[in-house]
mmCIF file of all heavy atoms in Angstrom:
data_model
loop_
_atom_site.group_PDB
_atom_site.id
_atom_site.type_symbol
_atom_site.label_atom_id
_atom_site.label_comp_id
_atom_site.label_asym_id
_atom_site.label_seq_id
_atom_site.Cartn_x
_atom_site.Cartn_y
_atom_site.Cartn_z
ATOM 1 N N GLY A 51 9.393 -48.936 -42.049
ATOM 2 C CA GLY A 51 10.262 -48.182 -41.310
ATOM 3 C C GLY A 51 10.010 -48.375 -39.786
ATOM 4 O O GLY A 51 11.125 -48.486 -39.038
ATOM 5 N N GLU A 52 8.813 -48.290 -39.388
ATOM 6 C CA GLU A 52 8.516 -48.531 -37.937
ATOM 7 C C GLU A 52 8.934 -49.864 -37.540
ATOM 8 O O GLU A 52 9.482 -50.084 -36.369
ATOM 9 C CB GLU A 52 6.872 -48.307 -37.685
ATOM 10 C CG GLU A 52 6.385 -46.975 -37.983
ATOM 11 C CD GLU A 52 6.818 -45.891 -36.957
ATOM 12 O OE1 GLU A 52 7.474 -46.256 -36.046
ATOM 13 O OE2 GLU A 52 6.413 -44.763 -37.261
ATOM 14 N N ALA A 53 8.731 -50.948 -38.368
ATOM 15 C CA ALA A 53 9.199 -52.217 -37.930
ATOM 16 C C ALA A 53 10.741 -52.236 -37.815
ATOM 17 O O ALA A 53 11.187 -52.898 -36.863
ATOM 18 C CB ALA A 53 8.715 -53.381 -39.046
ATOM 19 N N ALA A 54 11.363 -51.610 -38.667
ATOM 20 C CA ALA A 54 12.838 -51.520 -38.651
ATOM 21 C C ALA A 54 13.241 -50.730 -37.392
ATOM 22 O O ALA A 54 14.159 -51.196 -36.642
ATOM 23 C CB ALA A 54 13.392 -50.755 -39.903
ATOM 24 N N ALA A 55 12.615 -49.648 -37.028
ATOM 25 C CA ALA A 55 12.910 -48.846 -35.842
ATOM 26 C C ALA A 55 12.843 -49.706 -34.596
ATOM 27 O O ALA A 55 13.592 -49.587 -33.705
ATOM 28 C CB ALA A 55 12.085 -47.552 -35.820
ATOM 29 N N ARG A 56 11.849 -50.633 -34.631
ATOM 30 C CA ARG A 56 11.660 -51.453 -33.326
ATOM 31 C C ARG A 56 12.691 -52.453 -33.202
ATOM 32 O O ARG A 56 13.002 -52.985 -32.039
ATOM 33 C CB ARG A 56 10.390 -52.236 -33.417
ATOM 34 C CG ARG A 56 9.074 -51.361 -33.205
ATOM 35 C CD ARG A 56 7.902 -52.182 -32.900
ATOM 36 N NE ARG A 56 7.310 -52.821 -34.100
ATOM 37 C CZ ARG A 56 6.614 -52.317 -35.020
ATOM 38 N NH1 ARG A 56 6.206 -51.077 -34.877
ATOM 39 N NH2 ARG A 56 6.230 -52.983 -36.119
ATOM 40 N N THR A 57 13.617 -52.605 -34.230
ATOM 41 C CA THR A 57 14.785 -53.576 -33.966
ATOM 42 C C THR A 57 16.074 -52.883 -33.475
ATOM 43 O O THR A 57 17.106 -53.429 -33.363
ATOM 44 C CB THR A 57 15.109 -54.301 -35.252
ATOM 45 O OG1 THR A 57 15.681 -53.327 -36.204
ATOM 46 C CG2 THR A 57 13.831 -54.913 -35.998
ATOM 47 N N LEU A 58 15.983 -51.496 -33.432
ATOM 48 C CA LEU A 58 17.116 -50.721 -32.934
ATOM 49 C C LEU A 58 17.133 -50.672 -31.424
ATOM 50 O O LEU A 58 16.058 -50.657 -30.801
ATOM 51 C CB LEU A 58 17.037 -49.262 -33.498
ATOM 52 C CG LEU A 58 17.630 -48.969 -34.885
ATOM 53 C CD1 LEU A 58 17.148 -49.893 -35.890
ATOM 54 C CD2 LEU A 58 17.254 -47.484 -35.251
ATOM 55 N N THR A 59 18.357 -50.568 -30.880
ATOM 56 C CA THR A 59 18.378 -50.525 -29.412
ATOM 57 C C THR A 59 18.245 -49.014 -29.026
ATOM 58 O O THR A 59 18.327 -48.121 -29.934
ATOM 59 C CB THR A 59 19.712 -50.836 -28.911
ATOM 60 O OG1 THR A 59 20.840 -50.188 -29.646
ATOM 61 C CG2 THR A 59 20.064 -52.328 -29.022
ATOM 62 N N GLY A 60 17.905 -48.803 -27.854
ATOM 63 C CA GLY A 60 17.576 -47.379 -27.396
ATOM 64 C C GLY A 60 16.136 -47.041 -27.893
ATOM 65 O O GLY A 60 15.449 -47.822 -28.596
ATOM 66 N N THR A 61 15.741 -45.770 -27.395
ATOM 67 C CA THR A 61 14.348 -45.489 -27.700
ATOM 68 C C THR A 61 14.246 -44.141 -28.428
ATOM 69 O O THR A 61 13.314 -43.529 -28.616
ATOM 70 C CB THR A 61 13.571 -45.162 -26.404
ATOM 71 O OG1 THR A 61 14.413 -44.337 -25.576
ATOM 72 C CG2 THR A 61 13.318 -46.596 -25.659
ATOM 73 N N LYS A 62 15.442 -43.795 -29.037
ATOM 74 C CA LYS A 62 15.515 -42.517 -29.716
ATOM 75 C C LYS A 62 15.335 -42.548 -31.245
ATOM 76 O O LYS A 62 15.581 -41.580 -31.889
ATOM 77 C CB LYS A 62 16.900 -41.800 -29.358
ATOM 78 C CG LYS A 62 16.876 -41.640 -27.829
ATOM 79 C CD LYS A 62 18.054 -40.614 -27.530
ATOM 80 C CE LYS A 62 19.466 -41.412 -27.576
ATOM 81 N NZ LYS A 62 20.583 -40.603 -27.260
ATOM 82 N N ALA A 63 14.846 -43.637 -31.684
ATOM 83 C CA ALA A 63 14.577 -43.732 -33.232
ATOM 84 C C ALA A 63 13.247 -43.094 -33.626
ATOM 85 O O ALA A 63 12.334 -43.213 -32.895
ATOM 86 C CB ALA A 63 14.681 -45.207 -33.656
ATOM 87 N N ARG A 64 13.256 -42.545 -34.819
ATOM 88 C CA ARG A 64 12.031 -41.841 -35.254
ATOM 89 C C ARG A 64 11.973 -42.214 -36.684
ATOM 90 O O ARG A 64 12.912 -42.267 -37.398
ATOM 91 C CB ARG A 64 12.192 -40.375 -35.035
ATOM 92 C CG ARG A 64 10.949 -39.647 -34.827
ATOM 93 C CD ARG A 64 11.062 -38.225 -34.464
ATOM 94 N NE ARG A 64 12.078 -37.937 -33.485
ATOM 95 C CZ ARG A 64 13.044 -36.798 -33.641
ATOM 96 N NH1 ARG A 64 12.789 -36.027 -34.647
ATOM 97 N NH2 ARG A 64 13.917 -36.642 -32.745
ATOM 98 N N VAL A 65 10.639 -42.325 -37.280
ATOM 99 C CA VAL A 65 10.584 -42.633 -38.609
ATOM 100 C C VAL A 65 9.958 -41.437 -39.322
ATOM 101 O O VAL A 65 8.906 -40.759 -38.833
ATOM 102 C CB VAL A 65 9.644 -43.867 -38.806
ATOM 103 C CG1 VAL A 65 9.341 -44.072 -40.437
ATOM 104 C CG2 VAL A 65 10.241 -45.069 -38.246
ATOM 105 N N VAL A 66 10.485 -41.032 -40.485
ATOM 106 C CA VAL A 66 9.862 -39.924 -41.217
ATOM 107 C C VAL A 66 9.616 -40.517 -42.620
ATOM 108 O O VAL A 66 10.549 -41.111 -43.129
ATOM 109 C CB VAL A 66 10.750 -38.706 -41.210
ATOM 110 C CG1 VAL A 66 10.453 -37.682 -42.430
ATOM 111 C CG2 VAL A 66 10.823 -38.081 -39.894
ATOM 112 N N GLU A 67 8.512 -40.176 -43.203
ATOM 113 C CA GLU A 67 8.181 -40.649 -44.532
ATOM 114 C C GLU A 67 8.977 -39.855 -45.614
ATOM 115 O O GLU A 67 9.062 -38.587 -45.551
ATOM 116 C CB GLU A 67 6.748 -40.461 -44.804
ATOM 117 C CG GLU A 67 6.207 -41.048 -46.173
ATOM 118 C CD GLU A 67 4.832 -41.042 -46.413
ATOM 119 O OE1 GLU A 67 4.041 -40.953 -45.323
ATOM 120 O OE2 GLU A 67 4.346 -41.325 -47.511
ATOM 121 N N LEU A 68 9.649 -40.499 -46.483
ATOM 122 C CA LEU A 68 10.501 -39.923 -47.419
ATOM 123 C C LEU A 68 10.418 -40.755 -48.702
ATOM 124 O O LEU A 68 10.926 -41.852 -48.705
ATOM 125 C CB LEU A 68 11.987 -39.774 -47.029
ATOM 126 C CG LEU A 68 12.884 -39.385 -48.119
ATOM 127 C CD1 LEU A 68 12.807 -38.008 -48.553
ATOM 128 C CD2 LEU A 68 14.364 -39.616 -47.719
ATOM 129 N N ASP A 69 9.797 -40.156 -49.779
ATOM 130 C CA ASP A 69 9.923 -40.924 -51.092
ATOM 131 C C ASP A 69 10.732 -40.114 -51.943
ATOM 132 O O ASP A 69 10.354 -39.000 -52.430
ATOM 133 C CB ASP A 69 8.597 -41.073 -51.631
ATOM 134 C CG ASP A 69 8.487 -41.759 -53.015
ATOM 135 O OD1 ASP A 69 9.635 -42.115 -53.488
ATOM 136 O OD2 ASP A 69 7.459 -42.049 -53.631
ATOM 137 N N LEU A 70 11.961 -40.572 -52.275
ATOM 138 C CA LEU A 70 12.910 -39.792 -53.096
ATOM 139 C C LEU A 70 12.540 -39.738 -54.525
ATOM 140 O O LEU A 70 13.040 -38.907 -55.311
ATOM 141 C CB LEU A 70 14.292 -40.387 -52.874
ATOM 142 C CG LEU A 70 14.990 -40.348 -51.534
ATOM 143 C CD1 LEU A 70 16.034 -41.406 -51.406
ATOM 144 C CD2 LEU A 70 15.591 -39.001 -51.345
ATOM 145 N N ALA A 71 11.458 -40.434 -54.904
ATOM 146 C CA ALA A 71 10.972 -40.237 -56.244
ATOM 147 C C ALA A 71 9.895 -39.167 -56.371
ATOM 148 O O ALA A 71 9.094 -39.071 -57.356
ATOM 149 C CB ALA A 71 10.368 -41.598 -56.677
ATOM 150 N N SER A 72 9.725 -38.304 -55.337
ATOM 151 C CA SER A 72 8.816 -37.319 -55.322
ATOM 152 C C SER A 72 9.337 -35.999 -54.648
ATOM 153 O O SER A 72 9.686 -36.113 -53.350
ATOM 154 C CB SER A 72 7.476 -37.674 -54.550
ATOM 155 O OG SER A 72 6.788 -36.612 -54.138
ATOM 156 N N LEU A 73 9.593 -34.936 -55.276
ATOM 157 C CA LEU A 73 10.179 -33.822 -54.681
ATOM 158 C C LEU A 73 9.229 -33.171 -53.654
ATOM 159 O O LEU A 73 9.697 -32.661 -52.684
ATOM 160 C CB LEU A 73 10.457 -32.684 -55.764
ATOM 161 C CG LEU A 73 11.739 -33.142 -56.702
ATOM 162 C CD1 LEU A 73 11.841 -31.984 -57.762
ATOM 163 C CD2 LEU A 73 12.952 -33.218 -55.874
ATOM 164 N N THR A 74 7.876 -33.348 -53.771
ATOM 165 C CA THR A 74 7.009 -32.994 -52.772
ATOM 166 C C THR A 74 7.337 -33.794 -51.540
ATOM 167 O O THR A 74 7.343 -33.158 -50.384
ATOM 168 C CB THR A 74 5.593 -33.231 -53.250
ATOM 169 O OG1 THR A 74 5.300 -32.448 -54.507
ATOM 170 C CG2 THR A 74 4.541 -32.690 -52.222
ATOM 171 N N SER A 75 7.385 -35.032 -51.592
ATOM 172 C CA SER A 75 7.756 -35.794 -50.355
ATOM 173 C C SER A 75 9.084 -35.405 -49.811
ATOM 174 O O SER A 75 9.224 -35.311 -48.659
ATOM 175 C CB SER A 75 7.727 -37.248 -50.774
ATOM 176 O OG SER A 75 8.192 -38.006 -49.671
ATOM 177 N N VAL A 76 10.048 -35.187 -50.579
ATOM 178 C CA VAL A 76 11.401 -34.632 -50.085
ATOM 179 C C VAL A 76 11.280 -33.383 -49.292
ATOM 180 O O VAL A 76 11.711 -33.295 -48.220
ATOM 181 C CB VAL A 76 12.476 -34.557 -51.343
ATOM 182 C CG1 VAL A 76 13.700 -33.945 -50.832
ATOM 183 C CG2 VAL A 76 12.688 -35.820 -52.054
#
Side-chain angles (χ1 to χ4, degrees):
E52 296 289 357
R56 283 195 289 277
T57 70
L58 270 50
T59 53
T61 51
K62 297 191 286 181
R64 209 174 317 146
V65 176
V66 168
E67 185 171 347
L68 167 73
D69 181 357
L70 290 158
S72 157
L73 289 176
T74 304
S75 171
V76 172

